[in-house]
Each structure stands twice: as structure tokens, then as C-alpha cells.
Amino acid sequence: MGTWDVGPFDNDTAADWCGDLDDAAPDARQALVRDTLARAADTTDYLDADIGDEAVAAAALVAAQCPGGEPAHPHYGPKQPVPDLTDLRALALRALDRVLTEPSELLELWADSDDDPWHTTINGLRTTLTPRPPGEQLHRI
């Protein structure tokens, strides 16, 4: 099926990665998320779409635990409990920044999309992951 929508879990690669996360031992899940984010963030040459899709899904799991974060997709996201990932916020931001920086296959694939809903999704994750000064509230419209 490939990709069916613009959400972080709306593609086969992300759904398969979430299955791998479910299959991992509970004490290995945080490391799997960290390693996935680092693999994308640390790529200096061409970023393959599969690595990008996995990183976006991993970043979405971190964002889900932040104030204003959206929960993981109920069907395509992980089914098993996810440990506290909030200490991975900075790494998740770096991974998303890399996905949005050339050369990135995901960036190329979504370049011609109508009204650019994919960028809106990624930027929404970035907003959620960006720490706010104490006392500042997140306002959703």
C-alpha cells in the first residue's frame, strides 16, 4: 500500500517500525526510538525515505508525551506501552530538521503535494517538541 496519508504513522514503513517497537523488550524500546532518531539526525549524505519515515514516527512518539502532543495512531502506532521519551526531544527535533533538509528523499517525495499538508504535519511535530519558556502555554486553534 505504501503511503496513504500525511500523518507520521500513515505509511507502511512507519507501521512496520511500530510493529518492531512492539516486538522489542520493554527495556529496549527507548533505545530503539533513540537509535532511530539518531540514524536520521546523523545522516550527512542522502537521507533515504525509509529512514526518514521511521524517524518521523519516532519523533511523533516523543511529541505524544509532550504538552499538546497528539497520541499515536490507534491502528498503525505501537500497541505496547512506550517508555518515557521526553528526554529525546532535542534529538527528535534534530531528526525532523534532517528530514526537512536536502538531500532528503521524503522532502523530494512531498515537494509536489497539494497545499503541502505533509510539511504542516512535520512542522506541527516540531512545534510540539520545541520546549517553551516556563509559564508559556500552548494554544491550539
Side-chain angles (χ1 to χ4, degrees), residues 62-127:
V62 177
Q65 296 179 354
C66 296
E70 298 288 330
H73 193 285
H75 300 292
Y76 306 117
K79 310 290 185 267
Q80 300 300 316
V82 178
D84 181 10
L85 303 171
T86 54
D87 63 329
L88 299 177
R89 286 172 85 161
L91 182 57
L93 278 167
R94 282 185 42 228
L96 291 177
D97 287 345
R98 180 60 191 89
V99 167
L100 292 173
T101 302
E102 292 184 18
S104 167
E105 188 176 12
L106 278 183
L107 189 61
E108 292 171 11
L109 292 171
W110 287 103
D112 296 327
S113 64
D114 295 332
D115 297 326
D116 212 3
W118 180 79
H119 272 90
T120 300
T121 298
I122 302 301
N123 287 328
L125 290 173
R126 292 189 80 264
T127 298

